[in-house]
């Protein structure tokens, strides 16, 4: 994959996250600055998601730790847990929000 393809794939996922948050009605504020998406929660905790262009990975940092996702078999998979990126984002958002989130 080249850098253009990488950015297109990641931008698609970041937009999906923003749409999911909007549709859920959860009290999460997504803020994009450059290649970084920060999810800010009412309790002031954060999840930070960023593009790692040199590695062609997505990195996610939360109170559970740091995770790296590589694009294989047409999905972003965590090198540490084997979990799919969007599923981990949902799980981590619920941990940070301290409540069940209705994902649409």
């Amino acid at each position: 994959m080249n850098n253009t393809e990488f950015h297109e794939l990641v931008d698609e996922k970041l937009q999906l996250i923003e749409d999911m948050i909007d549709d859920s009605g959860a009290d999460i504020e997504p803020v994009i600055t450059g290649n970084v998406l920060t999810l800010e929660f009412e309790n002031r905790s954060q999840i930070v998601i960023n593009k790692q262009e040199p590695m062609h990975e997505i990195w996610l940092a939360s109170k559970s730790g740091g995770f790296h996702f590589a694009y294989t078999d047409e999905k972003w998979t965590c090198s540490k847990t084997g979990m799919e990126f969007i599923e981990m984002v949902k799980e981590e958002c619920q941990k940070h929000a301290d409540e069940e989130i209705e994902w649409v």
Side-chain angles (χ1 to χ4, degrees), residues 20-75:
M20 288 177 3
I21 289 169
D22 286 344
D23 293 344
S24 75
D27 191 10
I28 304 170
E29 182 67 32
V31 178
I32 294 183
T33 306
N35 286 334
V36 179
L37 169 63
T38 303
L39 306 179
E40 299 177 349
F41 295 82
E42 187 176 15
N43 61 11
R44 303 182 63 82
S45 67
Q46 297 181 334
I47 295 173
V48 178
I49 300 167
N50 63 50
K51 300 178 190 180
Q52 291 297 316
E53 182 177 359
M55 309 285 285
H56 284 175
E57 292 183 343
I58 301 172
W59 289 5
L60 181 149
S62 74
K63 62 183 175 181
S64 297
F67 303 92
H68 299 184
F69 296 83
Y71 193 72
T72 54
D73 299 325
E74 297 187 15
K75 61 184 177 180

